[in-house]
Amino acid sequence: MKKQSLWGRFFQVLITWTVYFLFRPKVIYADKSLKKRLKGRPAVFVANHTHHFDGAFTGAVLGRFKPYVLVKRSWYDKKAVGTMISWCRSIPISLDEADGAWFTAAEQVVAARKSLIIFPEGSIAREGILQEFKAGAGLISAKTGAAVVPCAIYGTYSAVFGMRQKILIGEPIESVCPEDMRRSKYARLLMKQAQGEVRRLYGELVRRYGNCGSYPNENFDN
């Protein structure tokens, strides 16, 4: 795990201020005690993914948990943007080839009692549906015992005067892999459960605030 520099910590604060100014986030906990229960406890936060801003947004609103965001390695190759991402608490991951470095870095984050933010779909939901969650986040949870915390991100990132961006944080899914089960199978089961919870949480936000249009091909009434 790369230690964040003093400049990086300053930049992380600047990003947080910017997120709160532009998108006026509303952080909702499924249970009010969650904020206290999750503090100081390493966790793997998993969320739906509809916009490139999701990483910066979740990193800001979940900042109290000192999370590291998994980011596609290709973003680090972009001028200016890649440099800024590298200053923040982030872990590069390659989805196009075997990449064990991200897993090692993620283990180190959990061992340091910090948390991870992972978007298990692996890409933005361009088809208007919640895509299948890949097993990577589940593998980290199964290996380290860190709980999986499902989160639903809701909104269109309307700046300043538009709709407030929202996130609903659900109950942790505890991770205890049975001795007679392969870790890879358990990871898939964890992610299937997490995907169902993220979908349910998003549906709850739709019922509270209406359909913001992020998933035009999904029906959250069932």
Side-chain angles (χ1 to χ4, degrees):
M1 180 184 70
K2 183 184 70 174
K3 188 175 180 181
Q4 193 175 28
S5 66
L6 180 61
W7 170 247
R9 291 197 294 271
F10 170 79
F11 185 73
Q12 192 97 44
V13 170
L14 181 61
I15 289 293
T16 298
W17 287 349
T18 302
V19 165
Y20 272 85
F21 173 74
L22 290 179
F23 307 124
R24 300 176 297 120
K26 183 177 179 63
V27 182
I28 309 164
Y29 291 89
D31 186 297
K32 291 182 179 179
S33 69
L34 270 174
K35 185 187 296 188
K36 184 176 180 180
R37 282 191 281 138
L38 289 171
K39 189 173 183 180
R41 177 188 180 187
V44 181
F45 292 90
V46 296
N48 56 310
H49 195 18
T50 62
H51 199 285
H52 291 309
F53 287 165
D54 286 339
F57 174 76
T58 51
V61 299
L62 298 176
R64 67 175 60 244
F65 307 115
K66 306 299 183 187
Y68 280 71
V69 183
L70 263 66
V71 181
K72 283 184 181 180
R73 189 177 295 277
S74 57
W75 279 98
Y76 291 81
D77 298 328
K78 299 179 185 295
K79 291 182 178 179
V81 172
T83 301
M84 289 187 288
I85 292 173
S86 69
W87 287 338
C88 296
R89 291 188 297 263
S90 65
I91 297 174
I93 179 172
S94 176
L95 301 178
D96 302 319
E97 58 189 24
D99 179 12
W102 77 267
F103 196 92
T104 300
E107 282 187 291
Q108 292 171 349
V109 167
V110 173
R113 303 196 64 77
K114 293 179 172 58
S115 293
L116 298 162
I117 296 173
I118 300 178
F119 302 102
E121 294 167 275
S123 61
I124 290 173
R126 300 186 187 281
E127 302 301 319
I129 59 173
L130 188 67
Q131 300 176 88
E132 182 179 358
F133 280 18
K134 296 176 174 60
L139 284 171
I140 284 291
S141 178
K143 176 75 181 293
T144 64
V148 173
V149 181
C151 305
I153 302 172
Y154 172 95
T156 57
Y157 291 99
S158 302
V160 186
F161 299 115
M163 174 195 303
R164 292 182 69 182
Q165 196 71 15
K166 301 172 182 67
I167 183 168
L168 175 55
I169 301 168
E171 283 287 341
I173 302 170
E174 301 300 336
S175 176
V176 182
C177 183
E179 292 183 2
D180 60 347
M181 183 181 292
R182 294 195 310 274
R183 195 175 285 154
S184 58
K185 180 178 180 180
Y186 183 67
R188 289 193 295 271
L189 292 175
L190 272 179
M191 286 300 96
K192 185 174 182 180
Q193 184 180 355
Q195 181 176 348
E197 270 300 287
V198 170
R199 192 178 194 282
R200 185 188 67 79
L201 293 169
Y202 191 90
E204 187 173 327
L205 290 171
V206 169
R207 287 186 285 277
R208 289 189 197 183
Y209 303 106
N211 194 333
C212 68
S214 295
Y215 294 103
N217 299 321
E218 282 275 17
N219 179 7
F220 291 99
D221 293 330
N222 53 29

